[in-house]
Amino acid sequence: RAEPPELPPLKDIAPLPAPAPFIEAASELGVEFEDHDLDRLGRFLAMLLETNKHFNLTAIRTPDEAWERHVLDALALVQFLADLPEGSSVADVGSGGGVPGLPLAIVLPSLNFTLIEATGKKARFLEAAAGALGLSNVRVLKERAETLGHDRANHRAKHDAVLARAVGHLAVVAELCAPLAKVGGLLLMTKGQKAEEELGEAKQALHMLHITPAGLVETPTGRIVALEKRRDTPRMYPRKPGEPARAPLGLSEQRDDHDPN
């Protein structure tokens, strides 16, 4: 079998400068940067865009758009995470190119982030980027959320907050994320303009998973759906790898009800 292609060297990549509109928008979100935060965020974006020339990590190609769509998008979650106690555990499901997990790990160093990514080349980039940035509060797991959701020793009901961005329909994402969260923990889904519609469609799935809506927040780039885990997730969830996406909870029944045939 052919060896996987090598990642480009990341350690010496120069950071992208933060544009003024980004800094202004971050301030409006209430985000305050510590020394070196902007430098590290800029280095992360430079690593992401450079690696993207070799691997498909993101559809975004320009620095200004990356600052807005990646970093600002991630920082919109700070309002939900800033008050978590020191050492709290945050899982990022389907971390892909590292958003939102890596930007959040930079600005919230008191929290521990677990980046969950099943695709090997993406997981290798995440490990290399976290290492180059010196992020000791990040670990990367090359694994599927469906598998980790049944790991009672290490991951099931172990995380204070679970994040997901661009992973799929809300009903699918909820099934992947809910088992990982502690009872009382938050599930934070970064969605687009159809967030409210998906929330309505996922009502049955949320009921089956014992999670309830906790807020719908507008951001500069979309919406965040906040959910709270009220009780233990039924032990049958998540289903086998791939099944949540093939047959989303509650949605097939709704579609059958509306089938004119």
Side-chain angles (χ1 to χ4, degrees):
R1 192 167 66 179
E3 289 293 317
E6 292 295 319
L7 291 170
L10 299 182
K11 191 170 184 180
D12 297 323
I13 293 177
L16 297 175
F22 162 80
I23 296 174
E24 183 179 341
S27 177
E28 290 174 0
L29 287 174
V31 177
E32 297 180 2
F33 296 110
E34 301 291 335
D35 291 344
H36 308 302
D37 279 355
L38 287 173
D39 180 76
R40 289 170 110 183
L41 291 169
R43 287 185 64 205
F44 161 64
L45 286 184
M47 293 175 191
L48 177 63
L49 294 185
E50 178 61 31
T51 305
N52 201 51
K53 298 174 184 177
H54 307 269
F55 301 123
N56 182 25
L57 296 175
T58 174
I60 291 170
R61 301 287 191 268
T62 66
D64 283 1
E65 190 180 10
W67 277 103
E68 179 185 21
R69 299 294 301 175
H70 287 327
V71 179
L72 193 62
D73 211 39
L75 297 185
L77 294 162
V78 168
Q79 61 190 296
F80 295 98
L81 302 175
D83 292 332
L84 288 178
E86 182 174 352
S88 292
S89 176
V90 181
D92 180 14
V93 172
S95 195
V99 180
L102 288 180
L104 289 171
I106 290 170
V107 301
L108 296 171
S110 67
L111 305 182
N112 295 315
F113 288 83
T114 298
L115 310 188
I116 300 168
E117 176 52 56
T119 303
K121 64 182 180 181
K122 294 178 181 178
R124 286 191 292 127
F125 167 73
L126 296 174
E127 289 178 340
L133 292 166
L135 295 175
S136 59
N137 60 333
V138 170
R139 64 173 171 171
V140 178
L141 298 179
K142 181 186 170 296
E143 190 56 89
R144 294 187 67 113
E146 295 99 325
T147 302
L148 296 179
H150 288 288
D151 180 353
R152 295 181 180 277
N154 301 298
H155 294 288
R156 188 176 180 90
K158 300 294 185 183
H159 300 282
D160 299 280
V162 184
L163 320 174
R165 174 181 186 251
V167 173
H169 191 283
L170 190 62
V172 177
V173 182
E175 182 177 352
L176 298 177
C177 293
L180 299 169
K182 297 177 180 178
V183 173
L186 280 178
L187 284 66
L188 301 172
M189 316 304 181
T190 303
K191 307 293 292 183
Q193 294 307 313
K194 291 188 176 180
E196 197 165 3
E197 178 183 334
E198 287 192 24
L199 193 55
E201 293 172 344
K203 185 176 180 179
Q204 184 177 348
L206 303 187
H207 176 73
M208 296 165 74
L209 294 164
H210 301 163
I211 52 182
T212 59
L216 186 65
V217 177
E218 294 280 349
T219 75
T221 56
R223 293 180 175 181
I224 296 169
V225 178
L227 307 169
E228 184 181 357
K229 180 169 175 175
R230 305 303 296 270
R231 292 187 286 146
D232 286 329
T233 306
R235 66 176 60 191
M236 70 191 75
Y237 303 119
R239 290 167 290 165
K240 293 180 180 178
E243 196 169 344
R246 283 196 300 271
L249 286 179
L251 294 192
S252 57
E253 293 85 347
Q254 292 178 39
R255 288 165 183 160
D256 290 345
D257 290 344
H258 292 91
D259 188 346
N261 299 315

